[in-house]
Amino acid sequence: MTISLTEENYIKAIFYKSNSNNIGVSTNSLSNHLKNKASSVTDMLKKLADKKLIRYKKYKGVLLTLKGEKIAINIIRKHRLWEVFLMEKLNFSWDQVHDIAEQLEHIKSEELIKRLDSFLGKPTLDPHGDPIPDEKGKFNETKSIPLNECKILKEIIFIGVKNHTISFLKYLTSIGLGIGDKFKIEAINDFDNSYQIKVKKNNLVFISNDLASNILIKIKNE
Amino acid sequence: MTISLTEENYIKAIFYKSNSNNIGVSTNSLSNHLKNKASSVTDMLKKLADKKLIRYKKYKGVLLTLKGEKIAINIIRKHRLWEVFLMEKLNFSWDQVHDIAEQLEHIKSEELIKRLDSFLGKPTLDPHGDPIPDEKGKFNETKSIPLNECKILKEIIFIGVKNHTISFLKYLTSIGLGIGDKFKIEAINDFDNSYQIKVKKNNLVFISNDLASNILIKIKNE
DNA sequence: ATTATTTTTTAGACTCATCTAAATTTATTT
DNA sequence: AAATAAATTTAGATGAGTCTAAAAAATAAT
């Protein structure tokens, strides 16, 4: 069975919109995410259901089948491996890689991905700190928490972001924060739950609670 | 102006079918090459002419405009750079790279190609010995001749192939012949113009004239 | 529990790239 | 140069993926 580029993008969107609870993804949320009209989404959902890639009941939203999930995870694996390639080998900055990886993820060749994976040293995290599933589709879960759930003044490792917008990524770069960096929480302001952190020898940086909720961290030595 | 993947493939096909003499490429030859019906080709030619990518007169065949040629050369550049990447970095064999490069050549990002080029050390020949045009579209012409035009017993450098079919490439590999290899013409049989060559310490290999016409060589120290 | 609102689906139309079948033009024979 | 063959184009149709506008179903509000 062949799966078109468009179908792949729908499958990926459904995967991203799926919550761990088994509630179907709504037509509208896919419509927003894919920037297509809801009616177009409905059409495609019928097609994907025919192919047994999703379970779809009219008006009830949609869930991936095992087959569909496998495909989604494989696309994500390809996307993230290419992102690693673009940053590590071609020295792109992390806010530049997404659009290119969005294209590369659709290249069809299992052998290519296998070799790319080896070439990159079988990485388990992409440049945004997101886990890269292995050949079997298994995610190496690195338990991270958003910075705003950390209420103690400790040494922190920055391991990922929740918000992937380019402006956010650029902002982090501008304050000297990159994946893997260590920083220290110097103060937590209880009036607005904002943070003051110190990255390396840089000055103190002020982080709003909202911002902090999009920064994924691990507490050092835990 | 956006150019679709399909349009890119037509432009590339027209480029490959163009002879240095200014004779238009026929609808039928494109039809064969692209494995589309002639009527489909006609439709697309009209479209490409509207976009000023080709010059097209009904029943008279087709030529690329400067704009079209630029695009064709850029696609070829991308194709060949990716082939180098696949062989040099991912250790694919030269008969495996074409199909994957056929997909990769359509990835849209000038920056990507610029960086890939640098990463690969700005190569001027691809793994099949075909020249890689530079950013400006200039081909580094390495004047090569087909083996069957060489009538003297000399040391030879194998620099490319004319026939790119997988079976031919596999055959060359099987007799121990790879791009850049040196070999010696041991004998030229005048009854059928076939060749006997010696690759490294291997046994003598028999090469028919037909085969020889598809092997591009340079005579050593010339 | 009716009404109003939002979400989703259906119906019909459009573009892109393709096809088949028929018509037309060009090239080749005799 | 007329007849035949080959190449090319036109006309009309199809499938994929999208759209708008209208209908139907689900959800929320009074």
Side-chain angles (χ1 to χ4, degrees):
Chain A
M1 184 187 44
T2 45
I3 296 169
S4 72
L5 189 146
T6 315
E7 288 170 336
E8 286 194 351
N9 283 330
Y10 271 87
I11 302 246
K12 193 173 51 138
I14 296 165
F15 184 87
Y16 276 124
K17 289 289 172 186
S18 294
N19 299 307
S20 39
N21 39 334
N22 250 30
I23 286 172
V25 178
S26 75
T27 301
N28 256 9
S29 75
L30 291 171
S31 165
N32 290 330
H33 188 262
L34 292 163
K35 279 156 188 175
N36 279 344
K37 297 297 163 186
S39 55
S40 310
V41 173
T42 302
D43 285 348
M44 181 55 87
L45 294 185
K46 284 180 192 165
K47 208 172 136 194
L48 294 175
D50 285 348
K51 291 194 174 184
K52 312 272 184 215
L53 300 173
I54 60 173
R55 277 196 315 256
Y56 169 58
K57 278 258 171 64
K58 269 192 199 176
Y59 297 102
K60 296 297 179 192
V62 70
L63 284 174
L64 291 175
T65 60
L66 257 169
K67 202 169 153 194
E69 190 175 74
K70 259 191 177 172
I71 291 168
I73 290 172
N74 194 235
I75 299 168
I76 288 164
R77 171 169 159 78
K78 293 197 268 182
H79 181 103
R80 294 184 181 168
L81 282 173
W82 280 117
E83 281 197 343
V84 173
F85 169 73
L86 294 172
M87 277 196 69
E88 307 257 300
K89 303 297 181 181
L90 302 192
N91 304 310
F92 276 100
S93 63
W94 70 341
D95 54 290
Q96 298 175 293
V97 298
H98 188 266
D99 289 349
I100 301 174
E102 202 80 350
Q103 297 178 63
L104 287 165
E105 73 188 7
H106 298 291
I107 302 292
K108 283 182 182 11
S109 166
E110 289 312 309
E111 186 63 23
L112 172 62
I113 293 308
K114 211 167 149 183
R115 285 172 188 251
L116 183 65
D117 188 33
S118 299
F119 179 59
L120 299 172
K122 299 190 181 280
T124 58
L125 290 179
D126 82 359
H128 303 98
D130 298 317
I132 301 174
D134 67 18
E135 305 101 301
K136 283 164 188 164
K138 221 181 132 191
F139 287 87
N140 171 11
E141 294 301 345
T142 323
K143 52 256 159 271
S144 63
I145 56 167
L147 174 56
N148 68 330
E149 283 177 18
C150 180
K151 296 300 181 193
I152 42 176
L153 310 183
K154 270 212 164 175
E155 286 282 324
I156 297 297
I157 305 171
F158 172 35
I159 64 164
V161 290
K162 240 184 197 168
N163 178 330
H164 289 72
T165 62
I166 288 181
S167 57
F168 183 59
L169 300 180
K170 279 199 168 147
Y171 173 72
L172 293 181
T173 304
S174 77
I175 62 173
L177 212 50
I179 296 283
D181 285 357
K182 298 171 193 68
F183 63 87
K184 187 150 187 294
I185 300 178
E186 296 285 348
I188 303 176
N189 304 312
D190 51 5
F191 49 95
D192 67 348
N193 291 305
S194 65
Y195 290 73
Q196 281 166 260
I197 67 171
K198 196 166 199 170
V199 187
K200 291 163 205 159
K201 340 140 214 277
N202 295 1
N203 288 339
L204 275 179
V205 179
F206 177 88
I207 307 265
S208 72
N209 188 271
D210 187 43
L211 221 72
S213 71
N214 285 300
I215 295 176
L216 299 173
I217 58 148
K218 218 165 89 178
I219 296 167
K220 220 175 153 183
N221 309 319
E222 248 187 34
Chain B
M1 184 188 41
T2 46
I3 297 168
S4 72
L5 189 146
T6 314
E7 289 170 336
E8 286 193 352
N9 283 330
Y10 271 87
I11 302 249
K12 193 172 51 139
I14 296 165
F15 184 87
Y16 276 123
K17 290 289 171 185
S18 294
N19 298 308
S20 40
N21 40 334
N22 249 29
I23 287 173
V25 177
S26 76
T27 303
N28 256 8
S29 75
L30 290 172
S31 164
N32 291 328
H33 188 261
L34 293 162
K35 278 156 189 175
N36 280 345
K37 298 296 162 186
S39 54
S40 310
V41 174
T42 302
D43 285 349
M44 182 56 86
L45 293 185
K46 283 180 192 163
K47 209 172 135 194
L48 294 175
D50 286 347
K51 290 192 174 186
K52 313 269 184 218
L53 299 174
I54 61 173
R55 277 196 315 256
Y56 169 59
K57 277 257 171 63
K58 270 191 199 177
Y59 298 101
K60 297 295 177 194
V62 71
L63 284 174
L64 291 175
T65 59
L66 258 170
K67 203 170 153 194
E69 190 174 76
K70 259 192 178 171
I71 291 168
I73 291 172
N74 194 235
I75 298 169
I76 288 163
R77 171 170 159 77
K78 293 197 268 181
H79 182 103
R80 294 184 180 166
L81 283 173
W82 280 117
E83 281 197 343
V84 174
F85 170 72
L86 294 172
M87 278 197 68
E88 307 258 299
K89 303 297 181 181
L90 302 192
N91 305 310
F92 275 100
S93 63
W94 71 342
D95 54 291
Q96 298 176 295
V97 298
H98 188 266
D99 289 349
I100 301 175
E102 202 80 350
Q103 298 178 62
L104 287 165
E105 73 189 6
H106 298 292
I107 301 292
K108 284 183 183 11
S109 166
E110 289 312 308
E111 185 63 23
L112 172 63
I113 293 308
K114 210 166 150 185
R115 285 171 188 252
L116 183 65
D117 189 33
S118 299
F119 179 60
L120 299 172
K122 299 189 180 282
T124 59
L125 291 178
D126 83 359
H128 303 98
D130 298 316
I132 301 175
D134 67 17
E135 305 99 302
K136 282 164 188 162
K138 220 181 134 194
F139 286 87
N140 171 11
E141 293 301 343
T142 322
K143 51 258 159 268
S144 63
I145 57 167
L147 175 56
N148 68 331
E149 282 176 19
C150 180
K151 296 300 181 195
I152 41 176
L153 310 184
K154 271 212 164 177
E155 286 281 322
I156 297 296
I157 305 171
F158 171 36
I159 65 162
V161 289
K162 242 185 195 166
N163 179 330
H164 289 72
T165 61
I166 288 180
S167 57
F168 183 59
L169 301 179
K170 279 199 168 147
Y171 173 73
L172 294 180
T173 303
S174 77
I175 62 174
L177 212 50
I179 296 283
D181 284 358
K182 299 170 191 69
F183 62 87
K184 188 151 186 291
I185 300 178
E186 297 285 348
I188 304 176
N189 304 312
D190 52 4
F191 50 95
D192 66 349
N193 293 304
S194 64
Y195 290 73
Q196 280 166 260
I197 66 170
K198 197 167 200 168
V199 187
K200 291 161 206 162
K201 336 136 218 279
N202 295 0
N203 289 336
L204 275 178
V205 179
F206 177 88
I207 307 265
S208 73
N209 189 271
D210 187 43
L211 221 71
S213 71
N214 285 300
I215 295 177
L216 299 172
I217 58 147
K218 218 166 89 179
I219 295 166
K220 221 175 150 180
N221 307 321
E222 250 188 33

